[in-house]
mmCIF file of all heavy atoms in Angstrom:
data_model
loop_
_atom_site.group_PDB
_atom_site.id
_atom_site.type_symbol
_atom_site.label_atom_id
_atom_site.label_comp_id
_atom_site.label_asym_id
_atom_site.label_seq_id
_atom_site.Cartn_x
_atom_site.Cartn_y
_atom_site.Cartn_z
ATOM 1 N N GLN N 228 -5.663 19.111 -27.409
ATOM 2 C CA GLN N 228 -4.546 19.968 -26.936
ATOM 3 C C GLN N 228 -3.303 19.867 -27.861
ATOM 4 O O GLN N 228 -2.319 20.525 -27.632
ATOM 5 C CB GLN N 228 -4.150 19.664 -25.527
ATOM 6 C CG GLN N 228 -5.301 19.711 -24.515
ATOM 7 C CD GLN N 228 -4.853 19.514 -23.106
ATOM 8 O OE1 GLN N 228 -4.928 18.422 -22.559
ATOM 9 N NE2 GLN N 228 -4.418 20.588 -22.418
ATOM 10 N N GLY N 229 -3.380 18.991 -28.880
ATOM 11 C CA GLY N 229 -2.321 18.953 -29.880
ATOM 12 C C GLY N 229 -2.969 19.146 -31.200
ATOM 13 O O GLY N 229 -4.167 19.344 -31.360
ATOM 14 N N LYS N 234 -4.666 18.451 -38.226
ATOM 15 C CA LYS N 234 -3.715 18.266 -39.341
ATOM 16 C C LYS N 234 -4.143 17.196 -40.323
ATOM 17 O O LYS N 234 -4.005 17.258 -41.497
ATOM 18 C CB LYS N 234 -2.346 17.949 -38.763
ATOM 19 C CG LYS N 234 -1.184 18.659 -39.411
ATOM 20 C CD LYS N 234 0.045 18.289 -38.628
ATOM 21 C CE LYS N 234 1.240 19.065 -39.177
ATOM 22 N NZ LYS N 234 2.433 18.681 -38.431
ATOM 23 N N GLY N 263 35.630 39.219 -20.840
ATOM 24 C CA GLY N 263 36.551 39.926 -21.702
ATOM 25 C C GLY N 263 37.950 39.388 -21.692
ATOM 26 O O GLY N 263 38.676 39.410 -22.716
ATOM 27 N N THR N 264 38.361 38.825 -20.548
ATOM 28 C CA THR N 264 39.759 38.470 -20.352
ATOM 29 C C THR N 264 40.048 37.017 -20.502
ATOM 30 O O THR N 264 41.209 36.578 -20.431
ATOM 31 C CB THR N 264 40.286 38.954 -18.984
ATOM 32 O OG1 THR N 264 39.443 38.304 -18.003
ATOM 33 C CG2 THR N 264 40.152 40.445 -18.837
ATOM 34 N N ASP N 269 40.172 28.765 -22.997
ATOM 35 C CA ASP N 269 40.330 28.539 -21.510
ATOM 36 C C ASP N 269 38.968 28.541 -20.769
ATOM 37 O O ASP N 269 38.958 28.505 -19.561
ATOM 38 C CB ASP N 269 41.194 29.638 -20.941
ATOM 39 C CG ASP N 269 42.598 29.624 -21.444
ATOM 40 O OD1 ASP N 269 42.901 28.640 -22.112
ATOM 41 O OD2 ASP N 269 43.366 30.587 -21.189
ATOM 42 N N ARG N 270 37.858 28.505 -21.517
ATOM 43 C CA ARG N 270 36.606 28.639 -20.849
ATOM 44 C C ARG N 270 35.972 27.366 -20.365
ATOM 45 O O ARG N 270 36.259 26.313 -20.961
ATOM 46 C CB ARG N 270 35.630 29.396 -21.759
ATOM 47 C CG ARG N 270 36.066 30.727 -22.110
ATOM 48 C CD ARG N 270 35.161 31.500 -23.059
ATOM 49 N NE ARG N 270 35.614 32.858 -23.114
ATOM 50 C CZ ARG N 270 34.768 33.950 -23.352
ATOM 51 N NH1 ARG N 270 33.495 33.768 -23.434
ATOM 52 N NH2 ARG N 270 35.281 35.164 -23.354
ATOM 53 N N THR N 298 11.345 17.920 -24.450
ATOM 54 C CA THR N 298 11.250 19.328 -24.248
ATOM 55 C C THR N 298 12.245 19.820 -23.170
ATOM 56 O O THR N 298 12.317 19.187 -22.079
ATOM 57 C CB THR N 298 9.856 19.711 -23.773
ATOM 58 O OG1 THR N 298 8.900 19.245 -24.688
ATOM 59 C CG2 THR N 298 9.692 21.258 -23.620
ATOM 60 N N HIS N 301 12.664 24.474 -19.040
ATOM 61 C CA HIS N 301 13.188 25.320 -17.924
ATOM 62 C C HIS N 301 14.698 25.373 -18.050
ATOM 63 O O HIS N 301 15.338 24.364 -18.116
ATOM 64 C CB HIS N 301 12.735 24.719 -16.596
ATOM 65 C CG HIS N 301 13.262 25.452 -15.424
ATOM 66 N ND1 HIS N 301 12.575 26.561 -14.895
ATOM 67 C CD2 HIS N 301 14.362 25.316 -14.625
ATOM 68 C CE1 HIS N 301 13.220 27.043 -13.841
ATOM 69 N NE2 HIS N 301 14.311 26.294 -13.713
ATOM 70 N N LEU N 302 15.210 26.590 -17.984
ATOM 71 C CA LEU N 302 16.663 26.735 -17.969
ATOM 72 C C LEU N 302 17.027 27.966 -17.157
ATOM 73 O O LEU N 302 16.396 29.048 -17.298
ATOM 74 C CB LEU N 302 17.185 26.972 -19.420
ATOM 75 C CG LEU N 302 18.628 27.320 -19.579
ATOM 76 C CD1 LEU N 302 19.534 26.195 -19.038
ATOM 77 C CD2 LEU N 302 19.006 27.541 -21.033
ATOM 78 N N ASN N 307 24.401 34.825 -14.730
ATOM 79 C CA ASN N 307 23.444 35.417 -15.663
ATOM 80 C C ASN N 307 23.668 36.915 -15.961
ATOM 81 O O ASN N 307 22.724 37.717 -15.943
ATOM 82 C CB ASN N 307 22.006 35.127 -15.223
ATOM 83 C CG ASN N 307 20.984 35.026 -16.343
ATOM 84 O OD1 ASN N 307 21.388 34.785 -17.471
ATOM 85 N ND2 ASN N 307 19.780 35.300 -16.061
ATOM 86 N N GLY N 390 -0.640 13.079 -25.169
ATOM 87 C CA GLY N 390 0.646 13.590 -24.657
ATOM 88 C C GLY N 390 0.487 14.318 -23.361
ATOM 89 O O GLY N 390 1.470 14.521 -22.670
ATOM 90 N N GLN O 228 43.888 39.602 -15.422
ATOM 91 C CA GLN O 228 42.553 39.098 -15.354
ATOM 92 C C GLN O 228 42.231 37.969 -16.357
ATOM 93 O O GLN O 228 41.192 37.431 -16.403
ATOM 94 C CB GLN O 228 41.481 40.220 -15.483
ATOM 95 C CG GLN O 228 41.640 41.329 -14.484
ATOM 96 C CD GLN O 228 40.528 42.398 -14.583
ATOM 97 O OE1 GLN O 228 40.638 43.368 -15.321
ATOM 98 N NE2 GLN O 228 39.429 42.148 -13.875
ATOM 99 N N GLY O 229 43.204 37.684 -17.179
ATOM 100 C CA GLY O 229 43.103 36.564 -18.117
ATOM 101 C C GLY O 229 44.311 35.703 -17.900
ATOM 102 O O GLY O 229 45.176 35.948 -17.005
ATOM 103 N N LYS O 234 50.014 31.379 -18.961
ATOM 104 C CA LYS O 234 50.131 30.254 -19.955
ATOM 105 C C LYS O 234 51.395 30.277 -20.724
ATOM 106 O O LYS O 234 52.043 29.268 -21.001
ATOM 107 C CB LYS O 234 48.932 30.368 -20.875
ATOM 108 C CG LYS O 234 48.213 29.053 -21.147
ATOM 109 C CD LYS O 234 47.033 29.366 -22.014
ATOM 110 C CE LYS O 234 46.239 28.101 -22.277
ATOM 111 N NZ LYS O 234 45.098 28.393 -23.176
ATOM 112 N N GLY O 263 3.511 18.226 -23.863
ATOM 113 C CA GLY O 263 3.134 16.859 -24.098
ATOM 114 C C GLY O 263 2.379 16.617 -25.402
ATOM 115 O O GLY O 263 2.484 15.574 -26.003
ATOM 116 N N THR O 264 1.644 17.592 -25.794
ATOM 117 C CA THR O 264 0.667 17.441 -26.876
ATOM 118 C C THR O 264 1.113 17.989 -28.212
ATOM 119 O O THR O 264 0.444 17.800 -29.221
ATOM 120 C CB THR O 264 -0.747 18.059 -26.537
ATOM 121 O OG1 THR O 264 -0.477 19.424 -26.311
ATOM 122 C CG2 THR O 264 -1.281 17.440 -25.298
ATOM 123 N N ASP O 269 5.721 20.406 -35.048
ATOM 124 C CA ASP O 269 4.790 21.544 -35.013
ATOM 125 C C ASP O 269 5.286 22.669 -34.064
ATOM 126 O O ASP O 269 4.529 23.616 -33.782
ATOM 127 C CB ASP O 269 3.418 21.103 -34.573
ATOM 128 C CG ASP O 269 2.756 20.179 -35.546
ATOM 129 O OD1 ASP O 269 3.298 20.084 -36.686
ATOM 130 O OD2 ASP O 269 1.686 19.595 -35.273
ATOM 131 N N ARG O 270 6.446 22.494 -33.535
ATOM 132 C CA ARG O 270 6.917 23.417 -32.511
ATOM 133 C C ARG O 270 7.573 24.729 -33.039
ATOM 134 O O ARG O 270 8.110 24.667 -34.111
ATOM 135 C CB ARG O 270 7.854 22.703 -31.526
ATOM 136 C CG ARG O 270 7.263 21.566 -30.838
ATOM 137 C CD ARG O 270 8.163 20.771 -29.936
ATOM 138 N NE ARG O 270 7.416 19.806 -29.216
ATOM 139 C CZ ARG O 270 7.632 19.490 -27.945
ATOM 140 N NH1 ARG O 270 8.699 19.902 -27.318
ATOM 141 N NH2 ARG O 270 6.885 18.548 -27.334
ATOM 142 N N THR O 298 30.676 36.008 -26.004
ATOM 143 C CA THR O 298 30.025 35.408 -24.776
ATOM 144 C C THR O 298 28.525 35.641 -24.822
ATOM 145 O O THR O 298 28.034 36.696 -25.091
ATOM 146 C CB THR O 298 30.610 36.125 -23.518
ATOM 147 O OG1 THR O 298 32.028 36.043 -23.522
ATOM 148 C CG2 THR O 298 30.081 35.470 -22.265
ATOM 149 N N HIS O 301 23.948 36.121 -20.568
ATOM 150 C CA HIS O 301 22.647 36.300 -20.025
ATOM 151 C C HIS O 301 21.646 35.620 -20.925
ATOM 152 O O HIS O 301 21.583 35.777 -22.111
ATOM 153 C CB HIS O 301 22.361 37.843 -19.944
ATOM 154 C CG HIS O 301 20.966 38.122 -19.392
ATOM 155 N ND1 HIS O 301 20.719 38.189 -18.045
ATOM 156 C CD2 HIS O 301 19.780 38.361 -20.045
ATOM 157 C CE1 HIS O 301 19.405 38.460 -17.897
ATOM 158 N NE2 HIS O 301 18.855 38.562 -19.076
ATOM 159 N N LEU O 302 20.733 34.845 -20.326
ATOM 160 C CA LEU O 302 19.653 34.152 -21.105
ATOM 161 C C LEU O 302 18.481 34.034 -20.152
ATOM 162 O O LEU O 302 18.571 33.530 -19.029
ATOM 163 C CB LEU O 302 20.126 32.761 -21.529
ATOM 164 C CG LEU O 302 19.054 31.878 -22.228
ATOM 165 C CD1 LEU O 302 18.536 32.579 -23.493
ATOM 166 C CD2 LEU O 302 19.677 30.554 -22.572
ATOM 167 N N ASN O 307 9.277 29.394 -18.997
ATOM 168 C CA ASN O 307 10.269 28.722 -18.157
ATOM 169 C C ASN O 307 9.717 27.748 -17.204
ATOM 170 O O ASN O 307 10.089 27.650 -16.049
ATOM 171 C CB ASN O 307 11.057 29.790 -17.372
ATOM 172 C CG ASN O 307 12.492 29.381 -17.085
ATOM 173 O OD1 ASN O 307 13.047 28.496 -17.784
ATOM 174 N ND2 ASN O 307 13.155 29.934 -16.086
ATOM 175 N N GLY O 390 41.236 42.561 -22.558
ATOM 176 C CA GLY O 390 39.873 42.177 -22.829
ATOM 177 C C GLY O 390 38.887 42.873 -21.898
ATOM 178 O O GLY O 390 37.700 42.966 -22.196
#
Side-chain angles (χ1 to χ4, degrees):
Chain N
Q228 304 184 266
K234 223 175 183 181
T264 60
D269 294 350
R270 298 179 171 213
T298 305
H301 179 83
L302 175 61
N307 209 23
Chain O
Q228 304 184 268
K234 225 175 182 181
T264 60
D269 295 349
R270 298 179 172 214
T298 306
H301 179 84
L302 175 60
N307 209 21

